[in-house]
Amino acid sequence: GESVGLHLPTLSVQEGDNSIINCAYSNSASDYFIWYKQESGKGPQFIIDIRSNMDKRQGQRVTVLLNKTVKHLSLQIAATQPGDSAVYFCAEEFFGNEKLTFGTGTRLTIIP
Amino acid sequence: DTAVSQTPKYLVTQMGNDKSIKCEQNLGHDTMYWYKQDSKKFLKIMFSYNNKELIINETVPNRFSPKSPDKAHLNLHINSLELGDSAVYFCASSPRDNNYGYTFGSGTRLTVV
């Protein structure tokens, strides 16, 4: 079955540095990918998405890269701030499936 | 104005009881979902409804019964609660057009004792 996994369960980054969170997926039919941020006691919050016909998409301080050849997704956060501390999830979907499949999450901790 | 709201936020109950969680969205989305997040933060879909019709039932025990009175509401009723049902339950909605844009509620933490 399809699965979405993350390489690192925890990541600690110095404030001001860039963060990179990685995600591997196994379903080559997936055509839509989303990164979510979940802060303690809150629901997942949309950060950025990307479709399979793109390799890169940029938002405010965030960039998502998609490598379909190796089925790998990454989230880059520039100039990490204390407010970026959270658990980050990648999620995938493919047309007609009508559901998001989530990865296991990476906890990002910002070191002051 | 909260886009996807769930009540209650916390629910503590004894084994064997029946409880309900309510969800409402004011985004005009056609599709609503219930997700379960376990103690290891893993999020897994349980149900989805499109315009009041059940679309997805991910082999959830039939003690869980979703009900959608209209497309803005999706409630979750759980019978005969078990210890393993303890988790955080998230409601979400999506417009199901080219811009999927799932929006999640803030969750209901269910603790079964």
Side-chain angles (χ1 to χ4, degrees):
Chain A
E2 64 253 13
S3 69
V4 181
L6 293 174
H7 295 305
L8 295 171
T10 61
L11 178 65
S12 296
V13 176
Q14 204 77 35
E15 183 178 349
D17 287 353
N18 297 335
S19 302
I20 300 176
I21 302 172
N22 295 305
C23 177
Y25 64 95
S26 61
N27 188 351
S28 56
S30 293
D31 57 7
Y32 181 59
F33 304 88
I34 312 176
W35 280 101
Y36 281 93
K37 173 186 180 183
Q38 187 178 21
E39 295 174 281
S40 181
K42 297 184 179 179
Q45 179 186 0
F46 174 92
I47 301 173
I48 192 167
D49 60 0
I50 189 168
R51 298 202 177 278
S52 58
N53 60 354
M54 302 172 71
D55 297 323
K56 179 180 178 178
R57 191 156 188 235
Q58 288 184 290
Q60 189 177 13
R61 282 200 310 118
V62 294
T63 301
V64 55
L65 298 177
L66 175 62
N67 185 331
K68 293 180 286 294
T69 302
V70 294
K71 295 200 279 290
H72 184 267
L73 193 69
S74 69
L75 176 70
Q76 300 177 5
I77 305 174
T80 315
Q81 303 169 357
D84 295 329
S85 291
V87 177
Y88 290 80
F89 295 94
C90 65
E92 64 171 333
E93 186 179 74
F94 61 88
F95 182 74
N97 196 31
E98 308 246 354
K99 68 177 183 181
L100 280 179
T101 299
F102 281 83
T104 52
T106 293
R107 183 176 298 280
L108 177 64
T109 302
I110 310 305
I111 304 167
Chain B
D1 218 15
T2 306
V4 180
S5 59
Q6 300 177 225
T7 55
K9 188 168 177 64
Y10 300 97
L11 185 54
V12 181
T13 187
Q14 289 187 322
M15 282 175 56
N17 283 351
D18 303 339
K19 290 293 178 185
S20 292
I21 307 171
K22 294 186 176 182
C23 179
E24 176 182 2
Q25 54 98 1
N26 62 7
L27 298 167
H29 291 169
D30 288 332
T31 307
M32 296 184 71
Y33 309 82
W34 279 109
Y35 277 80
K36 179 180 179 180
Q37 186 171 46
D38 63 22
S39 58
K40 296 180 180 175
K41 294 288 190 182
F42 187 65
L43 274 158
K44 185 170 169 57
I45 190 168
M46 299 173 70
F47 301 103
S48 82
Y49 269 71
N50 183 271
N51 208 2
K52 301 193 297 177
E53 289 189 25
L54 179 66
I55 303 297
I56 293 173
N57 179 341
E58 285 286 298
T59 23
V60 177
N62 57 16
R63 297 183 296 104
F64 290 78
S65 52
K67 284 187 172 53
S68 182
D70 55 62
K71 76 172 194 177
H73 295 83
L74 181 62
N75 304 322
L76 184 64
H77 188 77
I78 315 169
N79 290 328
S80 303
L81 278 155
E82 300 177 356
L83 292 177
D85 298 331
S86 294
V88 181
Y89 292 84
F90 287 99
C91 178
S93 71
S94 166
R96 300 311 305 170
D97 56 18
N98 279 339
N99 185 21
Y100 293 127
Y102 288 72
T103 302
F104 283 80
S106 57
T108 295
R109 181 175 292 277
L110 171 66
T111 304
V112 183
V113 298

